[in-house]
């Protein structure tokens, strides 16, 4: 079971690097090297743009190129100090070493976290950036490719229950990377890196295979489903539908037990590319679910054109739908919309009994969240299922539907 706050873990492993150098060619070269090392990099040549990105994007690393005129470089550092900047700062320059040393001393005197200085040429910058990476526990693309190959990434499962009967209708599989040295690394940190490096195809293949193995071993009733998160970049996996079909056949599991969750944002940005694959998977029996609904800007027409059978209301609305009138109104509207489009509604992020009761009253179909259970490793699922079947105070006429085959 998990209890550590997500945000802390995300910031600790962030690989965001903001580069400023007023010479465009230098900024571009630094950016290229940084990306090659695996940093999530934004470059800029403009101090105002730099300051605005610093505030909104919150980089963990900064490279200041000293072709930014010396004075401007110092002003920038003074500003960063006032903003209580915690980022590690690397100062680079093509010019002689002395101004670099002075800038470094000035930065330290301001209390900034100066990771070092680099006197170009660029290969020295690459080494410095890699050293910072290794020391700072940043995740590199190589690290994650190795982790996927070594099967260090596993799935944990979070139950979903029918709000009428209380019966468990399925589980959402959520990826976890248990890094041998750095401990648990949350998916929000490593999935964007996989996406940026077109590595989702292999990853999703492994996730599907793992989910099918786990559901096979769990041996629950044949109508219990498993939900898998599909990334927008899975469009690259031309054979994804084929892969899902083959794996299901090999493991003797009906494709209809699989739900593919696609975020609303992915759907809208890549709808054309994704939709063929999703439609084919739906044709062979998979259910399609719109994830994080309410956070993107859906065209309702697009939503209706694709064969979705489920709409998942984002947890940001669900969590405070009782205490916040606006969230409550939106949740009810989303339930109505989904039902009018003949879709089932899942509410994620159900953290209290009060919220669960309210959702049931509003006619929501399925609930998922910490109040019901936190995501758990597959070995904990069977005991949890038994416990849930025994304590279910909210079962409707349908009675227990849980079939456990021993
Ligand atoms: P998501 O698909 O929206 O998953 C729900 C997230 O909310 C999960 O975070 C889950 O642990 C968390 N959660 C569940 N119940 C509650 C609750 O009651 N309260 C709160 N505050 N949070 C709750 P997690 O596991 O860190 O996953 C984050 C995101 O990473 C997922 O969001 C999904 O977009 C992505 N992700 C996870 N696994 C995979 C994967 O295998 N493939 C892809 N493409 N994306 C994945
Ligand atoms: Ca999801
Ligand atoms: Ca979601």
């Amino acid at each position: 079971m998990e209890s550590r706050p997500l945000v802390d873990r995300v910031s600790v492993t962030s690989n965001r690097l903001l580069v400023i150098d007023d010479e465009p060619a230098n900024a571009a070269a630094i950016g290229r090297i940084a990306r090659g090392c695996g940093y999530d990099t934004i470059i800029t040549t403009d101090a105002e743009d730099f300051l605005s990105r610093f505030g909104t994007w919150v980089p963990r690393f900064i490279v200041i190129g000293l072709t930014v005129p010396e004075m401007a470089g110092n002003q920038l550092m003074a500003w960063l100090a006032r903003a209580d900047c915690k980022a590690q700062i690397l100062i680079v320059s093509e010019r002689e070493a002395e101004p670099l040393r002075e800038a470094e001393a000035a930065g330290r005197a301001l209390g900034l976290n100066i990771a070092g200085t680099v006197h170009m040429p660029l290969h020295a910058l690459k080494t410095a950036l890699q050293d910072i990476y290794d020391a700072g526990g940043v995740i590199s693309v190589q690290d994650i490719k190795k982790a996927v190959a070594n099967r260090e990434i596993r799935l944990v499962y979070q139950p979903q229950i029918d709000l009428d009967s209380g019966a468990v209708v399925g589980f959402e599989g959520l990826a976890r990377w248990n890094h041998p040295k750095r401990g648990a690394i949350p998916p929000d940190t490593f999935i964007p890196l996989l996406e940026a490096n077109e590595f989702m195809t292999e990853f999703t293949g492994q996730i599907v295979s793992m989910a099918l193995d786990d559901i096979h071993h769990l041996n629950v009733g044949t109508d219990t489903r498993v939900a898998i998160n599909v990334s927008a970049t899975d469009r690259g996996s031309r054979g994804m539908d084929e892969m899902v079909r083959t794996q299901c056949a090999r493991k003797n599991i009906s494709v209809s037990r699989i739900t593919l969750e696609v975020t609303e944002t992915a759907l809208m940005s890549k709808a054309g590319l994704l939709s063929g694959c999703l439609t084919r998977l739906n044709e062979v029996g998979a259910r399609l679910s719109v994830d994080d609904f309410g956070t993107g800007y859906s065209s309702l027409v697009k939503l209706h054109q694709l064969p979705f059978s489920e709409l998942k209301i984002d947890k940001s609305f669900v969590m405070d739908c009782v205490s916040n009138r606006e969230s409550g109104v939106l949740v009810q509207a989303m339930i109505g919309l989904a039902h009018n489009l003949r879709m089932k509604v899942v509410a994620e992020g159900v953290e209290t009994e009060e919220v669960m009761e309210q959702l049931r009253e509003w006619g929501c179909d399925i609930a998922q969240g910490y109040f019901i259970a936190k995501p758990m490793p597959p070995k904990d699922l069977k005991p949890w299922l038994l416990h849930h079947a025994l304590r279910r105070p909210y079962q409707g006429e349908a009675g227990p539907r849980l079939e456990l085959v021993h």
Side-chain angles (χ1 to χ4, degrees), residues 268-293:
M268 293 308 134
S269 59
K270 308 277 169 66
L273 299 156
L274 257 182
S275 58
C277 179
L278 295 178
T279 307
R280 285 193 298 280
L281 278 166
N282 178 252
E283 278 164 9
V284 294
R287 284 165 61 89
L288 304 181
S289 172
V290 190
D291 202 356
D292 298 350
F293 190 75

Side-chain angles (χ1 to χ4, degrees), residues 21-32:
D21 194 311
D22 67 353
E23 172 56 47
N26 275 355
I30 297 170
R32 252 194 322 275

Side-chain angles (χ1 to χ4, degrees), residues 2 4-16 38 40 57 138-139 144 153-156 172-178 184-196 200 203 207 229-231 261 263 265 291-292 295 314-315 319 348 370 375:
E2 304 171 319
R4 290 160 66 193
L6 265 181
V7 178
D8 285 351
R9 287 182 287 152
V10 171
S11 60
V12 164
T13 50
S14 162
N15 62 347
R16 288 181 178 175
D40 181 3
W57 192 59
V138 179
I139 304 157
I144 195 151
I153 294 169
R154 313 301 308 172
L155 280 171
V156 289
E172 176 177 6
L174 294 156
R176 290 292 177 271
W177 180 7
N178 287 315
I185 298 174
D188 285 332
T189 309
F190 65 82
I191 298 237
L193 207 58
L194 288 170
E195 288 176 335
M200 281 311 286
F203 178 74
I207 292 292
N229 290 283
V230 174
S231 157
E261 295 190 5
T263 62
T265 313
D291 202 356
D292 298 350
T295 57
D314 189 68
K315 56 180 177 291
M319 285 190 306
E348 67 174 16
Y370 294 167

Side-chain angles (χ1 to χ4, degrees), residues 58-122:
V58 198
R60 189 176 161 211
F61 305 96
I62 290 173
V63 172
I64 299 178
L66 272 197
T67 43
V68 169
E70 236 164 275
M71 188 50 214
N74 284 346
Q75 276 175 356
L76 211 62
M77 287 202 289
W79 188 91
L80 286 172
R82 277 199 303 278
D84 196 25
C85 167
K86 296 275 187 289
Q88 288 192 51
I89 301 171
L90 194 64
I91 310 171
V92 301
S93 174
E94 266 183 321
R95 293 184 292 165
E96 60 279 21
E98 193 46 34
L100 264 179
R101 273 196 292 275
E102 282 170 10
E104 182 181 13
R108 288 197 204 285
L110 286 164
L112 291 171
N113 182 357
I114 306 289
T117 59
V118 176
H119 193 203
M120 306 274 225
L122 293 177

Side-chain angles (χ1 to χ4, degrees), residues 334-384:
M334 289 188 245
I335 294 172
L337 171 74
H339 285 164
N340 282 330
L341 293 173
R342 297 197 173 76
M343 290 160 129
K344 292 272 185 202
V345 190
V346 182
E348 67 174 16
V350 178
E351 293 188 343
T352 63
E353 185 167 21
E354 208 185 3
V355 165
M356 192 162 86
E357 286 311 321
Q358 182 63 83
L359 289 163
R360 195 203 322 266
E361 218 171 273
W362 285 336
C364 180
D365 305 292
I366 294 162
Q368 174 182 351
Y370 294 167
F371 177 67
I372 298 147
K374 287 195 171 172
M376 59 188 108
K379 69 171 177 42
D380 292 347
L381 285 176
K382 213 172 238 185
W384 182 86

